[in-house]
Amino acid sequence: MSATRRSRSGAAVLAGAVAAALGIAGCTSGGSTGAAGTPSPPGTVNTSAPEPTATPTAATASSSPPAAPAPSPTCFDTTMVGDTTVAGYLARLPGSARIIDPGIFMALDGLHLDTTGDQRPCGPVTVRITRFTVRLSHTGSDTVTRPSYAYSPLDSTEVTVGPANGLAPGSAPPATSHCSGVLSVVQLGAPVKDTDLPQQLNLVTPSPAPTGPYHQNVKVIGERQVAAGLALPADAATC
């Protein structure tokens, strides 16, 4: 009888130990543990959709073309500067054939513009032409003579030149006469003064001797002077 009781007590103790072990196992294997040790509910599924990957469009895939360079200036805008600057620009214009030739000059038929395309003014330029009569004579002995001359005011007029190459309308000087030439001074701004006129003219006789009026370029020194020309009669060398 006592043997039977001890057998049952042992079985009960063994059954209790097994139940305790199973209880501990159930607490630790019911689900996964998060980073903080809190168990996640079993069977939970993340249903949020993944973020879409951006697909480059044609506008973003290719880089924008570089900006076009600013065009090079092809003329000189005389409306943006004063008379002194415009006069200096015109006086330094290179000729279209050779840079040593003037791009603006007087001739027997008037004022000419003849320069390269990118040097000419952007629009017409108004200049003043002041003319003087030049009385010619020679002084000295029978064997040694030198020319002499005297200026007297003749007239003054305004003409436009450019932007295209060619002759300025209304710029032709009056006709020469016996021992009398015409000096034309092209300028901007203030009127020409007597002190602006050449103090010495280099009267070069063409070869062969001219049979009609001829022309010479003349240097003038004065504020806002552009060009000057001297129309001479055929007998200028013998006056």
Side-chain angles (χ1 to χ4, degrees):
M1 181 74 178
S2 58
T4 303
R5 288 176 181 173
R6 286 196 298 269
S7 175
R8 289 177 179 174
S9 294
V13 172
L14 180 60
V18 172
L22 291 174
I24 295 171
C27 292
T28 59
S29 61
S32 61
T33 303
T38 304
S40 300
T44 303
V45 179
N46 185 6
T47 59
S48 60
E51 295 183 2
T53 303
T55 302
T57 62
T60 59
S62 60
S63 60
S64 300
S72 300
T74 57
C75 59
F76 184 86
D77 189 355
T78 58
T79 64
M80 303 299 292
V81 293
D83 284 346
T84 301
T85 302
V86 175
Y89 150 72
L90 293 175
R92 292 188 295 269
L93 272 178
S96 61
R98 298 185 305 166
I99 196 170
I100 61 174
D101 294 331
I104 185 168
F105 56 91
M106 283 295 303
L108 279 178
D109 57 349
L111 182 64
H112 288 257
L113 177 69
D114 184 24
T115 188
T116 57
D118 58 346
Q119 298 284 338
R120 65 171 54 102
C122 296
V125 182
T126 300
V127 297
R128 178 174 294 277
I129 301 179
T130 304
R131 302 185 182 102
F132 299 85
T133 299
V134 184
R135 304 293 180 185
L136 304 170
S137 62
H138 284 76
T139 60
S141 63
D142 294 338
T143 56
V144 179
T145 62
R146 67 178 184 274
S148 64
Y149 40 85
Y151 300 114
S152 58
L154 183 58
D155 61 18
S156 181
T157 185
E158 287 189 344
V159 300
T160 56
V161 61
N165 287 342
L167 175 66
S171 61
T176 62
S177 59
H178 172 66
C179 291
S180 179
V182 178
L183 174 67
S184 300
V185 180
V186 184
Q187 45 88 227
L188 285 87
V192 177
K193 303 187 294 290
D194 290 342
T195 54
D196 297 333
L197 300 177
Q199 299 304 304
Q200 183 174 357
L201 292 175
N202 182 20
L203 300 178
V204 179
T205 303
S207 180
T211 58
Y214 62 100
H215 187 271
Q216 288 183 192
N217 288 330
V218 177
K219 283 286 186 182
V220 290
I221 300 175
E223 188 178 8
R224 296 185 290 274
Q225 307 301 319
V226 175
L230 180 60
L232 293 169
D235 60 356
T238 59
C239 293

